[in-house]
Amino acid sequence: MKNLFSDDNSGYRLKTLQILNWGVFDEKVKTFEFDNKSTILTGYNGSGKTTCVDAILTLLVPSNLRWYNLSSESVKKRERDVENYVLGAWGNTGDSGTKFLRDKTTISIINGIFSDPVMERELSLLQVRYFVGDKLDTKYGITEKELRLEDANRIVKSKGFSISSDGKWRKILAEEKNTRFFESFTSFKIFFMDKFGFRSDN
């Protein structure tokens, strides 16, 4: 199996991570450039290090196999889930003092761009979340080239639409960038596992 985070010259590695309205990263797209190299995340408590790692976990690992906020000394007190991240929960979740940066009108996006420099291949994994009533819905997309959020937004906006719950943006990206969309993580995972050369979930 290829290591997505190794510094050797073969296989896919994480090149860029973009997140919008995920945890403490609010309103504007936050872009992390890894340049296909091993990276150390440093920062003050609460600056978003674990939030960034949990975004990568969410992008690649099915919900039944991932655990959020593993660095916390008290997992029960500070347990996070996808909905809390989308809403921007802060404070001790489950306590009456929990506050939220966003409400259920928000659109939350995680976008990971992976590249294989030797084979000159790129793969962009996209997850878009929004609420339909009280239920959090997720759309999964894969583009077999680099697709940055600023480019996706520009393309969709040029057609008079935005990335939202109406779904028209998916048709636009499918036509303009050959993006494939999936209704479940399972089908999304099967596709990217095949591209990455993974043999199993393990």
Side-chain angles (χ1 to χ4, degrees), residues 110-189:
I110 304 173
N111 185 49
I113 301 168
F114 297 82
S115 71
D116 181 341
V118 173
M119 300 301 294
E120 298 183 345
R121 297 177 299 189
E122 293 183 316
L123 197 69
S124 300
L125 306 184
L126 177 70
Q127 295 182 5
V128 178
R129 291 179 170 81
Y130 49 81
F131 286 91
V132 178
D134 286 329
K135 181 182 178 182
L136 186 62
D137 196 11
T138 306
K139 301 302 178 190
Y140 305 91
I142 297 179
T143 309
E144 294 186 61
K145 63 179 77 171
E146 178 177 292
L147 179 61
R148 301 177 70 91
L149 289 184
E150 51 268 35
D151 295 329
N153 281 322
R154 176 183 50 78
I155 292 166
V156 172
K157 190 174 180 181
S158 72
K159 304 293 184 180
F161 297 98
S162 63
I163 297 178
S164 64
S165 60
D166 68 16
K168 294 177 182 177
W169 59 275
R170 297 199 302 276
K171 183 177 179 182
I172 294 169
L173 290 182
E175 292 173 350
E176 298 289 327
K177 289 293 185 178
N178 294 320
T179 303
R180 299 172 186 240
F181 286 95
F182 306 85
E183 292 297 320
S184 71
F185 186 90
T186 299
S187 54
F188 172 73
K189 175 191 69 173

